[in-house]
Amino acid sequence: MYTAHPDRYADMPYRRTGRSGLKLPALSLGLWHNFGPDRSVETQRAILRRAFDLGVTHFDLANNYGPPPGAAESALGEALKDDFAPYRDELIISTKAGYLMWPGPYGEWGSRKYVLSSLDQSLKRMGLDYVDIFYSHRPDPETPLEETMGALHSAVQQGKALYVGVSNYSAEQTREAARILGELGTPLLIHQPRYSMLDRRPESEGLLDALDELQVGSIVFSPLEQGLLTSRYLDGIPEGSRAASDSPFLRSDAVTEDLVGRLRALDEVAKSRGQTLAQLALAWTLRGGRVTSALVGASSARQIEDSVGAIARLDFEADELARIDTIIEGKG
């Protein structure tokens, strides 16, 4: 029987989410591609246990995570039953609805029909009465935003979610979503965008500014850019890597000689700070407090340990940030 480490809250910093009362760990665990039937149950369980022992209290999912879709929620459901039942009130569990889950016109996007049906299915797979955060995973170009946000509001009113969020919404869409939810009486808690040293669109497209103005939290996915911002690609594409398999999430032609050179330069910055490249990348996303939490995936407990090691040094000197910018821009 699993017993959580007694010092699990000793080191992890927790950050307030927007203007809410909810705090999230600086690093959260995303159950994306490493929680399904093709992965060892023992390894999955070890990752979850080690994360919680290190103060990672937030497990982030979506209805379509696996593979196959739904598998990650089912895996977490088993872990909750066997390991984490005594700790449910110490955990933040989130899920999302938006991508394809079943055939026909009601199996994806943002209709009230789909969003609430999806949540019911997610709760059943996880064996839960409620999730802490429920997201609209992507905006629906054909459904009025009022309908999708109304469905999120209903989830809270029905006691099936405590808070709501959006993911992959533009700055303008986020402002409108926040307005609609505010009028309904269910504040927008958080936004989940893609953000990393190699993908700074939330800065350039004004999303982070919008979240600051709205006092909405943020939790970023792919802060390690599908593994590029780790030591794996410092010598090109290794066998067995995501890029080597020509994954739709990281194609081999993205790993250019120029990119590898920049990764090596960033690795030198990391070494000068006593960090791995992954730890540098995570610390960078969390710099200045604009990001509430960074989502990390893991295929082993050791990867979780390395990621959590980033919290040992989240501060940056001005010259370090300038050096990083110069490297990213390809100027040195």
Side-chain angles (χ1 to χ4, degrees), residues 23-296:
K23 292 183 178 181
L24 292 180
L27 294 174
S28 298
L29 178 64
L31 280 67
W32 182 35
H33 266 207
N34 293 314
F35 288 81
D38 61 335
R39 305 285 177 155
S40 159
V41 172
E42 291 76 15
T43 299
Q44 294 177 38
R45 205 64 59 85
I47 293 169
L48 292 168
R49 290 172 173 177
R50 190 63 181 134
F52 189 57
D53 283 345
L54 292 170
V56 178
T57 55
H58 180 207
F59 299 158
D60 178 79
L61 301 99
N63 56 359
N64 64 324
Y65 288 179
E73 290 178 331
S74 296
L76 181 63
E78 290 299 313
L80 290 172
K81 180 177 65 176
D82 294 342
D83 289 341
F84 294 98
Y87 307 106
R88 173 62 182 100
D89 290 336
E90 296 182 46
L91 290 169
I92 300 298
I93 298 171
S94 62
T95 196
K96 312 175 193 74
Y99 286 92
L100 181 64
M101 280 300 291
W102 60 86
Y106 320 120
E108 64 179 324
W109 293 109
S111 71
R112 180 179 183 85
K113 167 76 171 171
Y114 165 74
V115 169
L116 294 178
S117 295
S118 177
L119 178 56
D120 285 341
Q121 292 182 22
S122 292
L123 293 174
K124 185 176 181 180
R125 282 190 288 267
M126 292 186 284
L128 294 174
D129 296 323
Y130 71 96
V131 290
D132 297 277
I133 307 171
F134 183 45
Y135 289 86
S136 169
H137 205 167
R138 59 174 173 171
D140 183 343
E142 297 183 350
T143 297
L145 194 55
E146 287 82 0
E147 179 173 340
T148 305
M149 295 304 105
L152 296 185
H153 170 67
S154 291
V156 173
Q157 294 297 102
Q158 294 168 6
K160 297 176 181 178
L162 301 185
Y163 301 92
V164 299
V166 297
S167 182
N168 299 304
Y169 278 54
S170 69
E172 182 181 357
Q173 290 166 334
T174 301
R175 286 191 173 93
E176 183 64 5
R179 182 192 66 78
I180 295 167
L181 285 168
E183 291 178 355
L184 292 171
T186 297
L188 178 62
L189 174 79
I190 195 166
H191 189 298
Q192 188 173 130
R194 179 170 182 152
Y195 182 52
S196 73
M197 288 197 290
L198 298 178
D199 186 349
R200 300 177 68 164
R201 285 175 294 176
E203 294 176 21
S204 62
E205 295 176 0
L207 178 61
L208 293 184
D209 290 338
L211 298 180
D212 287 344
E213 294 165 14
L214 296 167
Q215 294 184 281
V216 168
S218 60
I219 178 168
V220 301
F221 69 90
S222 292
L224 300 180
E225 203 59 33
Q226 302 295 321
L228 282 176
L229 290 167
T230 70
S231 61
R232 296 198 76 186
Y233 294 91
L234 295 178
D235 295 312
I237 301 175
E239 290 186 14
S241 67
R242 187 167 289 170
S245 66
D246 254 353
S247 161
F249 304 106
L250 180 59
R251 294 178 56 84
S252 59
D253 57 12
V255 188
T256 63
E257 184 176 339
D258 173 68
L259 175 62
V260 171
R262 283 186 283 159
L263 295 177
R264 289 174 178 167
L266 290 171
D267 187 54
E268 290 302 315
V269 176
K271 288 176 180 176
S272 72
R273 289 167 49 85
Q275 293 180 313
T276 65
L277 176 55
Q279 289 168 349
L280 172 73
L282 293 170
W284 183 91
T285 64
L286 293 165
R287 74 198 186 287
R290 296 188 82 185
V291 169
T292 312
S293 184
L295 273 170
V296 295

